[in-house]
Amino acid sequence: MSQSAAIEKQVKPAFVRRRSNRRREIIDAAIDQFSARGYDGATLKDIAEAIDLTHAALYYYYKSKDVLLFEAVSLILNELLDTLKGCEGAPRAQLKSMMVAQLTYQFEYHRAMPLIDSVLFGAHSRRGVLKDEQSRYLRQCQKDMIGLYHSAVAAGIKSGEFTCKDVRTTVFSIIGILSHAPYWASPVNDKEMNAFVEKQTDICFRLL
Amino acid sequence: MSQSAAIEKQVKPAFVRRRSNRRREIIDAAIDQFSARGYDGATLKDIAEAIDLTHAALYYYYKSKDVLLFEAVSLILNELLDTLKGCEGAPRAQLKSMMVAQLTYQFEYHRAMPLIDSVLFGAHSRRGVLKDEQSRYLRQCQKDMIGLYHSAVAAGIKSGEFTCKDVRTTVFSIIGILSHAPYWASPVNDKEMNAFVEKQTDICFRLL
DNA sequence: GTCTATAAAACGATAGAC
DNA sequence: GTCTATCGTTTTATAGAC
């Protein structure tokens, strides 16, 4: 249990707590369903029934389906961003832990990444599912994320650790490699996962 | 015009030809719409009206929406496969032309790749939109495509041109980089495209 | 070959009971 | 806070006219 949740349990009345937890449960279910079936493929009924709710009851917590999409993508992006921000050290070490974190996260929220790409730059973005302000916010998260990679790579070039020429191309290539990983690899336990992460990071370092 | 189409023009009656062209037009429109809005986001109405047809008229040519999806993905995959099969030469030269072809193709059918990934391994595959036999066929195309990269890389390792250790990881990393390209780059003319392709292939060769 | 009309189902969303 | 009932719309798909 997170610290804030623990505090919440002490000071807030039960119904507020329940409401707050329910909201989170719904977002988690939305992430699952949107990831598994796509935004248009997943129905509010699917999401609601996954946590034993009727689809009508969802509307008590969130006012529309697109808000659910925004909250879902926002949650994932922010969690990933926070994790990456926590990666420190010399350029090489920092990038290594960023890559490990990114891979781990991608496999945890398994296959949510295509959804995110789609919301940020793909089909859903073109269709205008989200309001401009929401899109702008999510894109900023993504930009911040890319910025972290950018800084690390640039620092490594400056210090002479890395020899790559074009920072932008390099960063997006690394992200391309990492994003594509869940499509073809599916490590089933920690041992396989560790071996896989080692291989992937080795490959990425060849770009630097 | 392809050879078979040229022959067709000579020997087949007009209405058969027209029917055949219409079928192709519909698939092209389906590719556009599915790529732009996703399979679930695109409606038969969208597809039909893009080529001045009513949605009901589509059913004369194809019996359901999922057949349209299969035909669309099948067309792209086979065209790409054929192009890649045409790339020959020593490992390095062969891989280079394969990468160029892949990038060119991806930007031409701009943003169809996420759809394909989704049909092969993602949301649509999990939801069982396509019949097992259709899925199996498309996966085989994809496997054949990966096989071409695999052979080229393996040949380069054998000849001593490449120093990479794990063929599989390398191949999927290259494909990851190339697939991700349309998400962040959008060259607007041939000059920009050429410069971009050079940068991307340079990056990929660092993996080899 | 393409159209109109329409069926049948699914979906997002709202109103109101409890 | 959650449910039932229901509305309005959209969507896939079919039947039949021309």
Side-chain angles (χ1 to χ4, degrees), chain B:
Chain B
M1 189 186 297
S2 75
Q3 210 181 357
S4 68
I7 293 171
E8 199 170 67
K9 197 159 192 177
Q10 290 166 5
V11 300
K12 296 212 177 155
F15 73 91
V16 174
R17 235 169 50 226
R18 197 139 23 94
R19 176 182 156 113
S20 159
N21 290 344
R22 262 308 203 201
R23 282 176 65 90
R24 175 58 195 253
E25 272 184 72
I26 290 169
I27 297 304
D28 284 336
I31 291 173
D32 284 348
Q33 293 296 318
F34 289 155
S35 302
R37 313 166 78 94
Y39 176 71
D40 296 292
T43 69
L44 296 178
K45 194 164 167 279
D46 293 330
I47 296 169
E49 288 177 357
I51 49 171
D52 288 309
L53 233 63
T54 60
H55 74 282
L58 281 188
Y59 285 90
Y60 172 75
Y61 299 96
Y62 294 100
K63 76 171 215 294
S64 63
K65 193 186 183 186
D66 61 275
V67 174
L68 245 47
L69 178 65
F70 172 75
E71 294 292 340
V73 173
S74 178
L75 181 78
I76 296 179
L77 236 35
N78 276 309
E79 268 188 32
L80 181 53
L81 189 57
D82 283 347
T83 311
L84 292 178
K85 275 181 185 162
C87 297
E88 291 173 348
R92 176 169 287 265
Q94 184 188 9
L95 268 172
K96 168 92 179 203
S97 45
M98 285 171 75
M99 290 172 192
V100 173
Q102 176 108 26
L103 282 172
T104 309
Y105 204 80
Q106 279 176 196
F107 279 98
E108 190 186 326
Y109 281 110
H110 78 284
R111 284 139 222 235
M113 259 44 199
L115 174 74
I116 292 181
D117 280 336
S118 157
V119 168
L120 288 170
F121 306 111
H124 297 108
S125 125
R126 284 190 288 280
R127 280 176 47 207
V129 174
L130 297 184
K131 300 193 201 313
D132 283 356
E133 200 194 322
Q134 295 173 320
S135 289
R136 227 177 301 127
Y137 172 78
L138 295 177
R139 284 216 190 91
Q140 190 55 51
C141 289
Q142 168 91 341
K143 268 189 190 164
D144 291 347
M145 222 185 75
I146 292 164
L148 293 173
Y149 280 98
H150 201 285
S151 306
V153 171
I157 292 178
K158 203 175 173 188
S159 78
E161 272 184 87
F162 303 147
T163 60
C164 59
K165 307 228 167 70
D166 186 317
V167 181
R168 183 174 151 85
T169 309
T170 306
V171 166
F172 280 111
S173 297
I174 290 174
I175 293 175
I177 291 174
L178 300 179
S179 310
H180 200 246
Y183 275 123
W184 59 275
S186 40
V188 291
N189 54 40
D190 281 0
K191 198 184 157 198
E192 276 186 36
M193 183 66 188
N194 287 337
F196 176 74
V197 167
E198 277 309 309
K199 272 189 194 169
Q200 280 286 95
T201 52
D202 279 353
I203 288 262
C204 287
F205 275 116
R206 292 184 71 131
L207 298 184
L208 292 165

Side-chain angles (χ1 to χ4, degrees), chain A residues 76-90:
Chain A
I76 296 179
L77 236 37
N78 275 311
E79 268 188 31
L80 181 53
L81 189 57
D82 282 347
T83 311
L84 291 178
K85 274 181 184 162
C87 297
E88 292 174 346

Side-chain angles (χ1 to χ4, degrees), chain A residues 40-102:
Chain A
D40 296 293
T43 69
L44 295 178
K45 196 164 165 280
D46 293 330
I47 296 169
E49 289 178 356
I51 48 171
D52 288 308
L53 232 63
T54 60
H55 76 283
L58 281 187
Y59 285 90
Y60 173 74
Y61 298 96
Y62 294 100
K63 76 169 213 295
S64 65
K65 193 186 183 185
D66 60 276
V67 174
L68 244 47
L69 178 66
F70 172 75
E71 295 291 339
V73 174
S74 177
L75 181 77
I76 296 179
L77 236 37
N78 275 311
E79 268 188 31
L80 181 53
L81 189 57
D82 282 347
T83 311
L84 291 178
K85 274 181 184 162
C87 297
E88 292 174 346
R92 175 168 289 264
Q94 183 188 10
L95 268 174
K96 166 93 178 202
S97 45
M98 284 171 77
M99 291 172 190
V100 173
Q102 176 109 26

